[in-house]
Structure formats: structure tokens, C-alpha cells
Amino acid sequence: MIFLRLLLIGLALLAARAAVAQYGPIGPPAPGPLHIIGGGKNGGCIAGAVSLPDQGEWYQTIHGKISNFWGAPVTIQGIQLLAQKAHANGLPPLLIEDISRPRGGPMPGGHVSHMVGLDVDVALDMHMRGYLSEGQRESIQIASLVRPDARGIEPSMWGEPVERLLSLAATLPGVDRLLVNAAIKQQLCRTVTGDRSWLRFVRPWYDHSAHMHIEFRCPPGQADCVVRAPPPPGDGCDETLQWWFDQLNAPKPPPGPPRPPLRLPEACYVLFGRSSG
């Protein structure tokens, strides 16, 4: 386990060097009022980002050597509010992973979405625990909620507290959607009773078996922030969910040509202090 953690840190540092070579050093956050540029599959950046403290009321950040914790104020406030709501509902302190770099842009770990300070990863392991030591926060491995065959959840990891956390996150002010593994979405479709309206905002996505990815909407007044189409109507417990499981039987396609380097909005290169050429 220690070897794996050291390997992951080493790979992340190599990726960080590659990101620095392409986009310039991370540097401090860009001063001035909040300005979110871009977003979505084309990437983007952020000025006026604020940091999430390493530890606050009912949450802690983890994997600080390979993660970044800067975001738009709406994101930071949303995380803190979720932690307070989770505690009020009898859940353990939340474990927070990546948000964004101080000026956004590509993440060392390869995240495409965590570029504009509106995304955050939150662990889904709801087994009761207290606050972690500094060493534990760095070395902790979050267990998957999904079986190795990817067709269902791991019973020992699932329970009403997980469902409760997902419901609290999906109904936070300003949340656009949550991304989780398809098996987690499937389990929610099977077990949630009563008000199921929040299931619309829980969407299946690749991996995401140990954490949920919370995506906040563009704040008001951010004309350069790319607005995503809203999730489709309904609870998402239909044939679109079954598609994810059908793909498990499909043969893997042959590798395609290398992807071209990501081309960010021109204003981001100015924000990074380097040429786009």
C-alpha cells in the first residue's frame, strides 16, 4: 500500500512537470474579481480563486501532495455547507480531494473537468471515523463502493449514509450535477424511495467508484464561463443507464491516434503568463 502511494505521488509529480512545461508554473492565484474562463471539454481557467483550508468544520482535505484545493467562492462555500449538512445528518467528516489549481487549467493528474474552480471530488466512504492525522490524510486509500466486475455495489461499503450524502450533495444550492459510477447510480435507482427528483442530477460516468464528482453551475455574471446543458428530465433510471453496463461486454476498440494537445481559451494563456503558441 505504501509502495502504491509512493508510485502515485511519483507519477503525479511527473505529470505536474509536464503541465508546467506546457502551461507554465502553477504560481499564486490570479488577483482581482472572480473571472471564470471556459469550461467543459475544452478546458479553461479562473482568476480570483480562493482556497479551501486544509481542515474545517466537519471536513478535511486529503492527498495534498498530488491534489489542488482552489476554486470559485461558490464551490468553497458549497463544500463547507455540505460538510455542515453531513454532520447535522450524523455523517463522518468529509474527505475532500481535487478542486482546481490556483489559476485553473490542466491538472497534473489528468483531470479535464477540474479547470475552472467549479468541480470537487468528495469521498463516498461513510464508515464512521474521526479526524485523520496529517500522515493519514496523505496516505489514506479510499475504498471502492463498486464490485470488481463493475456490475453492482460492494455490499460492505453501501448503506443509507451513502445515499444520504449523495442526496445532500445533489440538492446543494448551485449544483449542476454529480458524477458517480454507473453501479452506484443503479443502486440509487433500486433503493431510493419517496422524493426521487434529486436522482436527475446524479449522472453515471467512468470510474468514480470511490468518490463523487460535484459540479457547480457558472455563478451569475460570469459571461465567459461555459454553461453546460442541464441534465435531461427524469430520474435517469432508464435505458440510458443500462448502456453503461452493456459496454462492459463490448470488445475494446483499437487504440486511436494520439490526442492533440488541449487548446485552452486564449485568455487563459494570458492568465498563465505565457504565449499560446
Side-chain angles (χ1 to χ4, degrees), residues 153-195:
I153 55 93
E154 179 61 49
S156 65
M157 294 297 297
W158 187 263
E160 193 273 338
V162 178
E163 182 179 307
R164 200 182 321 161
L165 177 65
L166 288 163
S167 173
L168 291 171
T171 53
L172 281 174
V175 162
D176 185 75
R177 67 195 70 205
L178 310 183
L179 303 181
V180 298
N181 188 275
I184 296 175
K185 172 70 176 187
Q186 176 182 252
Q187 184 69 10
L188 292 172
C189 291
R190 292 172 174 172
T191 60
V192 173
T193 58
D195 180 15

Side-chain angles (χ1 to χ4, degrees), residues 18 25 44 56 64 77 96 124 136 143 160 163 175 188 199 206 232 253-254 256 264:
Q77 293 162 8
I96 310 299
L124 287 173
Q136 289 172 325
E160 193 273 338
E163 182 179 307
V175 162
L188 292 172
L199 290 180
Y206 301 98
L264 301 178

